Amino acid sequence: MYHLTNGKIPIIGVGGIASGDDAFEKLEAGASYLQFYTAFIYHGPPVVSRIKSELSNILKERGYNNIEEVVGNNYKKYLN
């Protein structure tokens, strides 16, 4: 979808997001927003802080300054 919309329409990543790695994968695929109802139900409100912390660490480890740099990056790699 990211490719079809040229990244101009916000995409919500859903399904299977229970960790920072899961969130990062959805962002790289083109998601601008993330929804994790199931993780919230099974792990409660603390899951939000945990995912944010894990995602922040992943961004730092990979040299990103912010989430906007990640969105659609899997697709962008193939354009260059």
Side-chain angles (χ1 to χ4, degrees):
M1 286 311 298
Y2 185 85
H3 168 69
L4 294 174
T5 63
N6 293 317
K8 295 183 182 189
I9 296 177
I11 297 170
I12 302 170
V14 300
I17 303 172
S19 70
D21 286 323
D22 298 335
F24 187 79
E25 184 179 302
K26 298 289 187 192
L27 294 166
E28 273 194 317
S32 301
Y33 301 97
L34 303 172
Q35 176 241 56
F36 40 93
Y37 285 137
T38 305
F40 192 81
I41 290 168
Y42 284 107
H43 304 287
V47 76
V48 177
S49 295
R50 183 175 53 80
I51 290 173
K52 282 175 40 179
S53 176
E54 291 173 0
L55 184 56
S56 178
N57 289 336
I58 292 168
L59 294 177
K60 287 176 192 171
E61 288 171 5
R62 298 188 185 195
Y64 292 104
N65 294 313
N66 59 57
I67 288 178
E68 287 180 12
E69 294 177 1
V70 179
V71 175
N73 205 34
N74 267 350
Y75 170 69
K76 293 174 190 172
K77 286 181 203 175
Y78 299 105
L79 292 179
N80 297 328

